[in-house]
């Protein structure tokens, strides 16, 4: 598993020469409704095993949660399933709000 910071992810998303990653938000629905990175896919952590076939594993996958702990666990799980191009957003959406999008609500 790779790690990516909020600033690195913002740069990646703005770089048309790079593959667009799947932004896999593994937080609970109420958290996703509170704030999210635009274009992210909501898939609560406990639903990932059942919804794994819905993921485009040909694209890089960036796992996202509030502070980066749950997403790290999901990223490790994805790697155990043989998915190799997996990233964890260090600091989660909280870091995104602090470093990239100051208009994003925090909780």
């Amino acid at each position: 598993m790779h790690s990516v910071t909020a600033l690195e992810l913002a740069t990646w998303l703005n770089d048309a020469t790079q593959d667009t990653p799947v932004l896999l938000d593994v937080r609970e629905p109420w958290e996703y409704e509170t704030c999210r990175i635009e274009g992210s896919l909501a898939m609560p952590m406990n639903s990932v095993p059942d919804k794994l076939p819905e993921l485009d594993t040909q694209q890089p996958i960036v796992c996202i949660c509030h502070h980066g702990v749950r997403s790290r666990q999901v990223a490790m799980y994805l790697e155990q399933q043989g998915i190799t191009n997996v990233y964890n957003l260090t600091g989660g959406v909280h870091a995104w709000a602090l470093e990239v999008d100051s208009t994003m609500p925090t909780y």
Side-chain angles (χ1 to χ4, degrees), residues 1 15 25 28 31 44 49 59 61 66:
M1 167 194 7
D15 185 349
D25 193 317
E28 293 300 311
E31 293 176 287
Q59 296 295 110
I61 299 173
H66 189 199

Side-chain angles (χ1 to χ4, degrees), residues 20-90:
T20 302
V22 174
L23 301 175
L24 182 63
D25 193 317
V26 301
R27 297 174 300 145
E28 293 300 311
W30 73 266
E31 293 176 287
Y32 185 81
E33 290 305 316
T34 300
C35 63
R36 64 188 156 278
I37 298 172
E38 186 177 334
S40 61
L41 169 66
M43 189 179 291
M45 182 179 187
N46 64 355
S47 71
V48 171
D50 291 337
K51 294 186 173 193
L52 191 58
E54 296 175 23
L55 286 176
D56 181 357
T57 58
Q58 300 304 307
Q59 296 295 110
I61 299 173
V62 177
C63 298
I64 302 165
C65 70
H66 189 199
H67 286 112
V69 177
R70 288 175 283 175
S71 56
R72 182 173 174 76
Q73 292 174 331
V74 170
M76 288 171 47
Y77 171 79
L78 294 176
E79 283 193 331
Q80 291 168 353
Q81 304 312 303
I83 302 167
T84 57
N85 203 2
V86 179
Y87 295 78
N88 181 50
L89 177 58
T90 305

